[in-house]
Amino acid sequence: MWAIIGIVLKIGVVVGLMQGTVAYLILVERKVAAYAQDRIGPNRAGRHLTLPFGIKINLPFGLLQPIADGAKMVLKEDVVPTYVDKPLYILAPMIAIIAATLGFAVVPFGPVGPGQVMQFQIAPGVDIGIVYVFAIGSLAVYGVVLAGYASNNKYSFLGGLRSSAQLISYEVPLGMSILGMVLLAGSLDLGKIMAWQDQHVWGIVAQPIGFLLFLVSGFAETNRLPFDLPESEQELVGGFHTEYSAMKFGMFFLGEYMHVITVSYLTVILFLGGWDFPGLSVEQTGLLSAILKVLVTAGKVSFMIFLIMWIRWTLPRFRYDQLMDLAWKSLVPLALVNLVATAGIIQLIRG
Amino acid sequence: MNEITTSEFVRSLLAVLLGGGGVYLMLPKGVSGISPRRGFGAGSAAFALALLISATFWSPPGAGLSRAFFVLFGLTSIASGTLMITARDPVHSALWFAAVVLSTAGLFLIAGAQFLAAGTVIVYAGAIIVTFLFVIMLAQMEGKASYDRSARAPGRSVLSCFLLMWALAYALISMRSDARATVEGGSARLLADERILIPTPSITRVGNSPPQSGLSEVLRRASRPTAQLPERSNPAGPHVAGLGATLFADHLIAVELAGGLLFIALVGAIAIATPKPPIRPVVRVASPPANAPRL
């Protein structure tokens, strides 16, 4: 009974934290975009704030901007065009956000394993860890495809079609890119993969090609620039979310940013050592080391998120045929070669 | 094999009849595919009743939450399966199919088959149904065709399917009472013949010890007749490793055959898909010079 309450509590904390983080990620994104374009970005919300009892404070960097953005999302008129397929139209954003949230169930936020103070994972001890994340991730495409279909609009429809083709194509190299790490660590469990990296080397050293493939395919899975063809504003007006407004649009947005967080976490866990840092090791099970490990992981994840935002303003969007060529003619063969080479080397060394 | 009791017989007959009648009423009929709303309502009510009756045969595993989830996933999968064949819009059908796959994956999870659950979701829900959706959406650019919206020979198909269903239900129910009798008799084995169970030596490596058996053991296990089922080994390590060991030792021939078949199909698909030069090449007419008089 208490175990169930504990799990529900954990779920609540993780989901709440993620929603809050996403709200601030939007601010960070706008700031990064502004600096990349030599602007200042949002800097007004939070200035000259008068709290109760007449306390006046000045918050820098527009720190209250997410609250303003959120209020705008909620208070806007929620337009549902008359020609849409209504059940699917309402279902699509829900699928987008639910699929993005469910993936966090097996992502370790810190140390996991027997003997730890606390399992920093909602569902510890899932043997198939990473496969579960991929399974949930493969469901995210439904949100986009259904939004495109239900909107009954040519632009949305084209966005949905592009998205389904893109996500199916990039799932193949994404799945194969991690197999090298799985072979090395001998487990699909994310906690064990981190423990292996602590005892040996970081995944980025052991599997540089795997890291590159994972990063590129992960970008494609998050639907962000340079892979944002489903919503490319210049050609498709906004693609699959053309007909969406207010909080339904906001849900797609939230889903996208949660994907960014998931991909960053996975990259850090699989290739950047997770909580691994000089001075920290698997053997430490104290509370202090647990907190340190969580902070180290969060720091690395923040760096990855920043990198993803940075790349958005660095690379232009692919053309559709280039996108498909990249997946099927470059990434898939490279992933296969990497996999075979890794398996061969492991067999030679251990056999 | 034990006889099934009269009550079980009556319940299963009722469930099959109500289910069949309900599905027949729910199926889209006629050229337009629009059946009366009342017929759909009555059909779904009959089907729900059949589902409740059939639920009395279930023996959910475990207790508490897992039991609740078993009932939830079981009901969802059957209901979504029915809605999949009775939906008028092919896109809705594909979505109900996805719901069936997801709830089946949930049942796998309850049974402890994590990898199978995730694999089912990735392959079916993540790839195959998305491809279905892709094709349906591409094919339906100009409205829905009448043959997409109505069932072909609904009466006959429902009759044959539910006859099959009844046979299956009869077999399952008698097996169930059989299993119950054996449990009371002291053995929980469903497999009656103990002789076909042979102990399986492990070929997975434990720790750093050298493999106990090499290629010859794999070949021996692979060439064993399928009728000789290996004893269900208790997985010591992660069960993905156990799954791999079973697939690539016990079912090696089947796996290789399936792989070869898929490879041939892939080669065939590429051979069909690549554009060929047309049989009668189009004669290219030279464009008239720019200053030619217009006719």
Side-chain angles (χ1 to χ4, degrees), chain B residues 149-206:
Chain B
R149 295 172 66 89
S150 65
R152 201 179 300 164
R156 275 172 281 166
S157 44
V158 165
L159 185 69
S160 51
C161 286
F162 273 82
L163 275 181
L164 200 64
M165 173 79 206
W166 195 22
L168 200 63
Y170 186 85
L172 281 178
I173 290 167
S174 51
M175 177 102 115
R176 179 168 160 270
S177 32
D178 207 34
R180 204 166 40 207
T182 10
V183 169
E184 282 155 7
S187 160
R189 284 258 165 75
L190 261 180
L191 293 163
D193 196 354
E194 290 281 336
R195 278 169 303 171
I196 63 167
L197 295 171
I198 39 174
T200 312
S202 167
I203 57 162
T204 48
R205 213 174 299 172
V206 182

Side-chain angles (χ1 to χ4, degrees), chain A residues 1-17 101 118-119 121-124, chain B residues 65 69:
Chain A
M1 191 63 208
W2 284 109
I4 294 175
I5 292 176
I7 290 171
V8 170
L9 217 64
K10 253 190 219 174
I11 294 175
V13 167
V14 169
V15 171
L17 260 181
T101 314
M118 188 184 158
Q119 306 288 325
Q121 195 176 18
I122 293 171
Chain B
L65 266 184
F69 274 116

Side-chain angles (χ1 to χ4, degrees), chain A residues 85 88 127 142 149 157 164, chain B residues 89 92 95 114 125 134 137 141:
Chain A
D85 186 337
L88 294 187
D127 266 354
Y142 279 97
Y149 175 77
F157 185 75
S164 56
Chain B
D89 190 339
H92 290 192
L95 286 180
Q114 295 175 354
F134 189 79
M137 282 159 63
M141 291 295 273

Side-chain angles (χ1 to χ4, degrees), chain A residues 100-183:
Chain A
T101 314
L102 276 181
F104 282 110
V106 296
V107 173
F109 299 95
V112 284
Q116 296 288 351
V117 182
M118 188 184 158
Q119 306 288 325
F120 286 92
Q121 195 176 18
I122 293 171
V126 178
D127 266 354
I128 53 160
I130 183 76
V131 185
Y132 170 86
V133 178
F134 285 165
I136 299 298
S138 70
L139 293 182
V141 60
Y142 279 97
V144 177
V145 173
L146 289 186
Y149 175 77
S151 296
N152 201 1
N153 168 324
K154 291 266 189 310
Y155 293 118
S156 306
F157 185 75
L158 283 172
L161 280 184
R162 280 182 177 184
S163 171
S164 56
Q166 173 183 332
L167 289 187
I168 289 181
S169 306
Y170 277 86
E171 249 166 42
V172 180
L174 186 76
M176 286 199 288
S177 64
I178 60 140
L179 284 182
M181 268 323 282
V182 171
L183 278 177

Side-chain angles (χ1 to χ4, degrees), chain A residues 37-303:
Chain A
Q37 297 167 342
D38 202 10
R39 291 185 284 121
I40 294 173
N43 65 346
R44 297 285 150 171
R47 281 272 187 89
H48 310 301
L49 203 66
T50 312
L51 296 181
F53 310 113
I55 307 167
K56 288 197 171 135
I57 52 169
N58 246 337
L59 287 173
F61 310 123
L63 273 180
L64 293 186
Q65 188 67 36
I67 297 173
D69 283 347
K72 185 192 83 174
M73 285 285 181
V74 174
L75 296 177
K76 256 182 159 177
E77 187 188 353
D78 192 358
V79 183
V80 180
T82 49
Y83 46 79
V84 299
D85 186 337
K86 210 163 173 194
L88 294 187
Y89 179 84
I90 295 172
L91 192 67
M94 291 185 188
I95 293 179
I97 196 162
I98 288 174
T101 314
L102 276 181
F104 282 110
V106 296
V107 173
F109 299 95
V112 284
Q116 296 288 351
V117 182
M118 188 184 158
Q119 306 288 325
F120 286 92
Q121 195 176 18
I122 293 171
V126 178
D127 266 354
I128 53 160
I130 183 76
V131 185
Y132 170 86
V133 178
F134 285 165
I136 299 298
S138 70
L139 293 182
V141 60
Y142 279 97
V144 177
V145 173
L146 289 186
Y149 175 77
S151 296
N152 201 1
N153 168 324
K154 291 266 189 310
Y155 293 118
S156 306
F157 185 75
L158 283 172
L161 280 184
R162 280 182 177 184
S163 171
S164 56
Q166 173 183 332
L167 289 187
I168 289 181
S169 306
Y170 277 86
E171 249 166 42
V172 180
L174 186 76
M176 286 199 288
S177 64
I178 60 140
L179 284 182
M181 268 323 282
V182 171
L183 278 177
L184 284 172
S187 175
L188 290 165
D189 191 341
L190 291 171
K192 286 184 185 145
I193 293 176
M194 287 199 286
W196 183 87
Q197 292 179 76
D198 174 54
Q199 283 152 3
H200 300 82
V201 286
W202 283 11
I204 189 169
V205 182
Q207 285 279 315
I209 300 178
F211 172 73
L212 198 69
L213 291 169
F214 185 84
L215 201 64
V216 174
S217 323
F219 259 93
E221 292 283 312
T222 56
N223 267 343
R224 285 176 62 85
L225 264 168
F227 294 103
D228 70 337
L229 283 109
E231 50 173 295
S232 52
E233 292 87 356
Q234 292 86 347
E235 311 151 37
L236 296 183
V237 199
F240 64 92
H241 57 59
T242 306
E243 299 288 359
Y244 284 88
S245 53
M247 204 52 214
K248 291 206 184 71
F249 170 74
M251 279 154 104
F252 281 119
F253 223 64
L254 281 177
E256 184 187 315
Y257 276 92
M258 288 177 104
H259 270 299
V260 171
I261 301 180
T262 319
V263 166
S264 304
Y265 256 109
L266 285 182
T267 318
V268 167
I269 289 165
L270 287 168
F271 295 103
L272 298 182
W275 44 255
D276 190 30
F277 201 69
L280 292 173
S281 75
V282 192
E283 283 81 34
Q284 297 160 334
T285 52
L287 185 64
L288 184 70
S289 72
I291 292 172
L292 273 179
K293 284 173 181 175
V294 171
L295 287 181
V296 166
T297 318
K300 287 180 187 173
V301 169
S302 314
F303 171 73

Side-chain angles (χ1 to χ4, degrees), chain B:
Chain B
M1 192 170 271
N2 287 27
E3 292 296 312
I4 64 172
T5 62
T6 321
S7 133
E8 279 174 340
F9 178 76
V10 171
R11 272 187 293 159
S12 62
L13 183 64
L14 210 61
V16 169
L17 285 182
L18 274 176
V23 169
Y24 178 74
L25 285 177
M26 283 163 84
L27 275 175
K29 288 179 286 284
V31 184
S32 61
I34 296 164
S35 67
R37 197 163 279 269
R38 208 180 294 162
F40 190 83
S44 47
F47 189 80
L49 198 62
L51 207 55
L52 280 184
I53 294 173
S54 69
T56 58
F57 288 110
W58 294 359
S59 44
L65 266 184
S66 67
R67 180 175 288 242
F69 274 116
F70 177 83
V71 173
L72 181 75
F73 286 135
L75 289 179
T76 326
S77 59
I78 301 177
S80 321
T82 313
L83 285 167
M84 175 192 128
I85 54 172
T86 54
R88 278 156 187 75
D89 190 339
V91 171
H92 290 192
S93 278
L95 286 180
W96 286 118
F97 187 16
V100 175
V101 169
L102 285 184
S103 27
T104 315
L107 289 176
F108 283 147
L109 266 188
I110 292 175
Q114 295 175 354
F115 187 80
L116 197 57
T120 313
V121 172
I122 291 178
V123 172
Y124 283 94
I128 292 184
I129 299 176
V130 174
T131 319
F132 280 177
L133 276 177
F134 189 79
V135 173
I136 293 171
M137 282 159 63
L138 267 186
Q140 283 200 332
M141 291 295 273
E142 293 96 21
K144 291 151 196 144
S146 65
Y147 47 81
D148 273 344
R149 295 172 66 89
S150 65
R152 201 179 300 164
R156 275 172 281 166
S157 44
V158 165
L159 185 69
S160 51
C161 286
F162 273 82
L163 275 181
L164 200 64
M165 173 79 206
W166 195 22
L168 200 63
Y170 186 85
L172 281 178
I173 290 167
S174 51
M175 177 102 115
R176 179 168 160 270
S177 32
D178 207 34
R180 204 166 40 207
T182 10
V183 169
E184 282 155 7
S187 160
R189 284 258 165 75
L190 261 180
L191 293 163
D193 196 354
E194 290 281 336
R195 278 169 303 171
I196 63 167
L197 295 171
I198 39 174
T200 312
S202 167
I203 57 162
T204 48
R205 213 174 299 172
V206 182
N208 285 327
S209 64
Q212 293 141 354
S213 48
L215 195 63
S216 60
E217 172 60 23
V218 171
L219 284 179
R220 196 187 66 74
R221 277 174 70 179
S223 56
R224 191 163 52 190
T226 324
Q228 294 185 336
L229 290 174
E231 192 171 14
R232 209 174 66 185
S233 54
N234 292 322
H239 61 256
V240 181
L243 183 72
T246 310
L247 273 182
F248 288 98
D250 291 327
H251 304 285
L252 181 68
I253 297 174
V255 167
E256 291 300 326
L257 275 180
L261 199 65
L262 285 174
F263 184 67
I264 294 169
L266 191 69
V267 172
I270 290 173
I272 293 173
T274 43
K276 294 173 202 57
I279 300 169
R280 241 176 261 157
V282 182
V283 183
R284 193 159 292 182
V285 184
S287 54
N291 56 357
R294 273 215 190 151
L295 297 175

